Amino acid sequence: MTLEKEDLILLNRTGDNLKSVLRQVVQHFPQSAGSINGMSRWLDFNRSNCQRILEGINKSKDGKDALCLFPGIAGLEEFLQKAAQQNIENSVLLEAQKAVEVFAKVLKKYARSHAELKRLLGSSVVKSKANHGALTSNEKREQHYLASKQLLGASINSLFACYILRENELNTQYLHEVALISKKGISRAIEAQPFIQFYSHPQPENFTSPEPICGDSRVQKGAFQVGVVEEFSTLGLIDAYSSYSASNSGIVFNNLPKSTQFDATFLFSNPDELSNPLNSSSNCSSTSISIKTPTKKLFMLVFLEKKLAMQSLVNVGCYAGNQKVEEGKLRADDMWTEKLPEFPELKIVPNGTPLQGDMQAMTDYLFNFAELDANDFCCYLLEVEHPIWSSTYRVYFEHQL
């Protein structure tokens, strides 16, 4: 049997759900049962299956991978029976039992055994069912882009988002995020909403306007900063600043005179919003870009400090809307219900690999501003044609501590 793209989406969601509910079960265990040996002793349960459950929860990169790592149906059912004997909250166990029942039905649909399903998933190639005239995923996104562009009267040719994540030296409870967001070829009809650059950090009380950023500018340690990068923006952009919208955390700009298209590049320094997973109850951190305006091409570049990357599994997802996640409690599998049937590919970029076009110049500019060395970071690249308007592309780092 060959698994089609639609089959893989169903299996992925089944695994995401199972991973989420089993994590909830394990979170009700005492701390002493958080390891393989500890769980095996506390539950009086097979050590190998304890290992597979913990690996499925903590080490799977997506739902399909979780289905491969978890035990089979019999092992999962016995695990829940053992957990029920320890007076685990009944509602949590019922949710887990439902998820295992769903997995059993899906397994029966695609394979004769758990081992066969794992072989199918290991050899599967993502493809759509043969249907002459059917649109590819990119063609569907392109149609969505064109329709959204006409509806909103605004569009962006390319969006480059570059992030640097490292431990905050002044307060190790947080990660220090420095980011450059560059929008090229912004087009707006007269009736379109104002041009706004959104972000999530609360605005400082003394904020009056974004600061002009130039090649000599440097990061202010411990302070939140937002500025317009003049070298990569259309002349006059900072003078077109109008106001700050407190209701949705965004800086608003007036129309640029005599500009049918313009470029806008922003730089942010955010030292105290992202929890440091090395010193937090959550072992997950993330960064994201929301597609607020129909966009033709997205490039998302994330640099993660190597001491964090060495202990991390990286994954990516496309989610409906722009949900703000609660820092310190973030789990990628908790948001599986919002995940869209998109398979964005995340690539590892080796140190020293040249980037295309202005991306290299802007990345060098950001590291110069932050006074950091790119060789001290691992780099990940997400590249998407016609990213889905009104969605969020989020890169997760699940830290194995």
Side-chain angles (χ1 to χ4, degrees):
M1 180 180 180
T2 301
L3 295 177
E4 310 287 351
K5 179 178 178 180
E6 293 79 1
D7 303 322
L8 292 173
I9 290 172
L10 174 60
L11 288 162
N12 197 60
R13 286 178 176 168
T14 301
D16 281 335
N17 184 26
L18 189 60
K19 178 179 177 180
S20 179
V21 296
L22 289 180
R23 187 191 296 279
Q24 292 297 320
V25 172
V26 172
Q27 285 177 344
H28 282 74
F29 291 3
Q31 188 173 359
S32 60
S35 66
I36 297 169
N37 289 331
M39 183 183 293
S40 180
R41 287 193 299 269
W42 188 67
L43 290 177
D44 187 24
F45 183 51
N46 179 275
R47 185 184 183 281
S48 176
N49 279 343
C50 288
Q51 179 178 354
R52 294 175 70 181
I53 286 168
L54 287 174
E55 287 183 348
I57 291 172
N58 297 317
K59 295 186 177 182
S60 57
K61 63 180 185 295
D62 57 24
K64 301 188 299 295
D65 193 33
L67 293 182
C68 293
L69 290 172
F70 283 138
I73 303 301
L76 291 172
E77 289 176 341
E78 185 182 358
F79 169 74
L80 294 180
Q81 290 169 5
K82 294 287 187 179
Q85 295 171 10
Q86 299 294 336
N87 297 319
I88 302 300
E89 187 177 321
N90 192 49
S91 62
V92 174
L93 290 174
L94 283 175
E95 286 298 312
Q97 287 166 0
K98 290 177 184 176
V100 172
E101 289 171 5
V102 171
F103 178 31
K105 291 178 182 178
V106 171
L107 176 59
K108 187 176 180 180
K109 178 180 178 180
Y110 291 108
R112 290 167 295 184
S113 66
H114 188 213
E116 183 181 3
L117 180 65
K118 289 194 287 185
R119 287 195 295 272
L120 284 171
L121 288 172
S123 61
S124 63
V125 177
V126 176
K127 62 179 182 178
S128 297
K129 290 181 180 178
N131 185 1
H132 297 296
L135 298 176
T136 65
S137 295
N138 185 50
E139 288 170 338
K140 292 175 184 176
R141 293 197 306 270
E142 183 178 12
Q143 288 196 356
H144 180 64
Y145 160 75
L146 293 171
S148 303
K149 175 181 176 180
Q150 293 178 25
L151 178 66
L152 300 179
S155 65
I156 297 171
N157 281 340
S158 69
L159 168 56
F160 174 58
C162 184
Y163 304 86
I164 303 173
L165 298 176
R166 66 190 295 261
E167 190 172 67
N168 187 329
E169 295 175 343
L170 301 180
N171 186 347
T172 57
Q173 293 299 309
Y174 294 99
L175 296 180
H176 190 169
E177 176 186 50
V178 185
L180 183 145
I181 309 296
S182 183
K183 301 174 179 180
K184 299 290 186 182
I186 303 168
S187 297
R188 296 182 59 259
I190 296 175
E191 65 274 14
Q193 67 185 75
F195 174 62
I196 307 175
Q197 177 59 45
F198 297 95
Y199 45 93
S200 58
H201 193 282
Q203 198 60 271
E205 292 183 2
N206 60 351
F207 178 83
T208 55
S209 65
E211 61 181 287
I213 302 291
C214 63
D216 295 331
S217 300
R218 294 293 181 270
V219 66
Q220 299 173 19
K221 297 187 183 299
F224 172 72
Q225 294 173 263
V226 53
V228 174
V229 182
E230 297 182 307
E231 284 91 331
F232 300 109
S233 300
T234 297
L235 184 65
L237 178 66
I238 197 164
D239 297 326
Y241 169 72
S242 170
S243 61
Y244 166 65
S245 176
S247 63
N248 53 18
S249 293
I251 46 179
V252 185
F253 292 82
N254 295 320
N255 292 337
L256 272 69
K258 301 179 181 179
S259 291
T260 55
Q261 283 194 356
F262 64 96
D263 301 337
T265 301
F266 302 92
L267 194 146
F268 302 90
S269 178
N270 181 4
D272 56 4
E273 188 177 19
L274 303 182
S275 296
N276 181 358
L278 299 180
N279 295 315
S280 168
S281 59
S282 171
N283 289 342
C284 182
S285 59
S286 76
T287 193
S288 65
I289 186 72
S290 294
I291 308 301
K292 296 286 192 177
T293 302
T295 300
K296 196 171 184 180
K297 187 70 176 281
L298 166 66
F299 300 93
M300 184 177 181
L301 205 60
V302 182
F303 289 88
L304 183 67
E305 193 172 15
K306 284 185 176 178
K307 73 175 181 179
L308 294 168
M310 287 173 61
Q311 304 177 73
S312 304
L313 290 173
V314 62
N315 200 5
V316 64
C318 178
Y319 298 87
N322 182 28
Q323 287 189 329
K324 180 175 173 58
V325 298
E326 187 175 355
E327 285 299 324
K329 298 181 179 180
L330 177 63
R331 287 285 183 190
D333 52 271
D334 288 342
M335 295 180 67
W336 72 270
T337 55
E338 298 296 320
K339 200 170 187 177
L340 298 175
E342 261 280 272
F343 287 94
E345 181 185 359
L346 193 66
K347 301 176 183 176
I348 298 175
V349 181
N351 288 119
T353 302
L355 303 169
Q356 57 181 291
D358 287 343
M359 290 169 55
Q360 185 65 60
M362 287 189 280
T363 299
D364 292 343
Y365 191 98
L366 182 61
F367 272 95
N368 185 58
F369 172 84
E371 300 182 284
L372 297 170
D373 185 349
N375 290 317
D376 295 331
F377 294 79
C378 292
C379 178
Y380 306 90
L381 172 64
L382 177 68
E383 186 176 340
V384 182
E385 295 274 2
H386 307 105
I388 300 173
W389 169 64
S390 200
S391 72
T392 296
Y393 289 82
R394 187 176 294 277
V395 177
Y396 292 94
F397 301 98
E398 297 272 7
H399 300 272
Q400 308 302 301
L401 305 180

